[in-house]
Amino acid sequence: MTTTTLPRLAVTAGEPAGVGPELLARLAATELPADLVAITDRDLLRRAAILCGLDLDIIDDDGTRIASRPAGRVRVHHVPLGADVHFGRPDPRNAQHVLDLLRVAADGCMTGDFDAVVTGPVQKSSINEGGVAFSGHTEFFAERTGAEVVMMLASPELRVTLATTHLPLSAVPAAVTPALIERTLRIVAGALTSLFGLAHPRIAVLGLNPHAGEGGHMGREEIDSIIPLLERLRGEGMDLIGPLPADTAFVPAMRERYDAVLAMYHDQALPVLKSEAFDRTVNVTLGLPFIRTSVDHGTALDLAGTGQADPASLFAATRLAIDLARHRGHP
């Protein structure tokens, strides 16, 4: 990418029976300043556009860089379906199709063909029923690239990162080791600088237990491992706050003190974020050798095929991908 060309974004449609194809069609109809390359089945995208009442100009991607894109024009990298699509009814025979979307996008980013990837929602259960063990986009891209990654959920008001992602709650205490927290904090701090342009990022760290252990009366993980680790990293110059009780860490006065939060597990912090900014929250994978953003919602099978799904989260994910690509693309 140069300053005279548009950032080239791979946008995956995700689960073909979900709302992803329709959201992608609505994205193509916008004037967002990006070269949108739809990674999907060509005919499925046309069908989704018709459902949404859109007359899109869908052309095959030839890999060239462009300086402008009119609203309603989208290039497509065709990935054929494995089975006919019935909206609202995922078919495990399309599991390989969904994985192929992700491979095309990731490999294209690795070769520099794409400047970022924006992912639509997938149906994890259908992929697993198709015979492929799959726990999520984040884990897929980490394995594909050999990178150590961290999940961030970002809204205009708040950035939340996770030490553990899709684990049963019973498995979290054993997984939250000092080594894991240290690795996560280093990735988050590096990404806040390299991706978001924060020279001295401030990170709030939540405790594992209620009231951050309350001096050991509600658990000793904070005293035995988290506090000593944070003190050591502060000695290296990292700006860390905590461990903080999760029930007070998100009040306005506390938010002014940090740039991002590290939560110990998935549901410790994400309900706060989603309750106040569900349609403006973007999933960002930190630590990858490329930019990846995503919608922060599921496949909405009950809305699929109606043309009524709200594209706000996909628009937000695309805008953030554009901003991050522009930031990275400048010398």
Side-chain angles (χ1 to χ4, degrees):
M1 181 181 68
T2 71
T3 55
T4 60
T5 60
L6 294 175
R8 188 169 150 80
L9 308 184
V11 188
T12 64
E15 167 56 52
V19 295
E22 295 161 68
L23 300 181
L24 180 48
R26 292 197 179 278
L27 178 67
T30 70
E31 296 181 348
L32 287 175
D35 177 12
L36 303 176
V37 181
I39 315 297
T40 185
D41 182 278
R42 187 187 302 109
D43 294 333
L44 178 64
L45 183 59
R46 289 197 180 100
R47 184 179 166 194
I50 292 171
L51 281 171
C52 295
L54 300 172
D55 183 17
L56 295 184
D57 182 13
I58 300 173
I59 58 178
D60 288 336
D61 178 41
D62 62 4
T64 60
R65 296 271 173 172
I66 59 176
S68 64
R69 180 191 67 87
R73 177 175 295 172
V74 62
R75 301 202 278 183
V76 63
H77 182 112
H78 177 65
V79 179
L81 290 163
D84 290 340
V85 169
H86 300 277
F87 289 115
R89 294 160 51 192
D91 190 328
R93 291 176 296 173
N94 278 319
Q96 193 59 52
H97 163 81
V98 175
L99 296 177
D100 286 343
L101 304 181
L102 304 185
R103 291 191 184 97
V104 167
D107 293 352
C109 285
M110 293 286 285
T111 61
D113 187 29
F114 303 123
D115 299 312
V117 55
V118 182
T119 54
V122 297
Q123 190 75 15
K124 297 172 190 173
S125 59
S126 183
I127 297 173
N128 282 279
E129 288 167 10
V132 181
F134 181 86
S135 57
H137 281 104
T138 301
E139 295 83 356
F140 177 91
F141 287 133
E143 182 178 356
R144 190 75 179 170
T145 62
E148 293 188 312
V149 301
V150 173
M151 179 188 290
M152 170 183 280
L153 282 300
S155 74
E157 300 82 17
L158 184 63
R159 302 182 187 99
V160 172
T161 58
L162 302 176
T164 63
T165 53
H166 302 117
L167 281 182
L169 189 57
S170 61
V172 169
V176 178
T177 63
L180 173 68
I181 298 172
E182 179 175 357
R183 177 189 70 80
T184 304
L185 284 170
R186 292 191 186 280
I187 293 172
V188 172
L192 288 173
T193 298
S194 64
L195 279 181
F196 292 90
L198 301 176
H200 303 288
R202 305 166 301 165
I203 304 172
V205 180
L206 302 186
L208 175 65
N209 297 295
H211 299 183
E214 198 161 302
H217 295 286
M218 293 188 181
R220 292 196 53 86
E221 285 86 355
E222 288 78 11
I223 292 174
D224 293 342
S225 58
I226 298 176
I227 291 173
L229 170 65
L230 299 188
E231 290 177 347
R232 177 166 63 81
L233 295 179
R234 289 188 190 105
E236 297 180 11
M238 295 183 71
D239 192 345
L240 305 172
I241 305 168
L244 299 177
D247 61 349
T248 57
F250 298 101
V251 299
M254 285 302 301
R255 292 191 192 191
E256 296 177 359
R257 299 175 55 193
Y258 54 74
D259 301 301
V261 174
L262 173 62
M264 295 295 115
Y265 54 92
H266 189 278
D267 284 5
Q268 187 179 42
L270 298 196
V272 175
L273 186 64
K274 293 188 178 186
S275 66
E276 66 179 35
F278 182 77
D279 61 346
R280 295 175 293 122
T281 298
V282 178
N283 189 333
V284 188
T285 305
L286 309 182
L288 290 173
F290 52 81
I291 296 163
R292 180 258 169 162
T293 66
S294 179
V295 298
D296 187 32
H297 60 70
T299 53
L301 297 176
D302 57 327
L303 289 175
T306 68
Q308 301 301 311
D310 185 352
S313 186
L314 182 62
F315 290 2
T318 305
R319 290 189 187 97
L320 182 57
I322 292 169
D323 291 343
L324 297 179
R326 288 292 189 197
H327 176 74
R328 250 190 193 178
H330 286 294

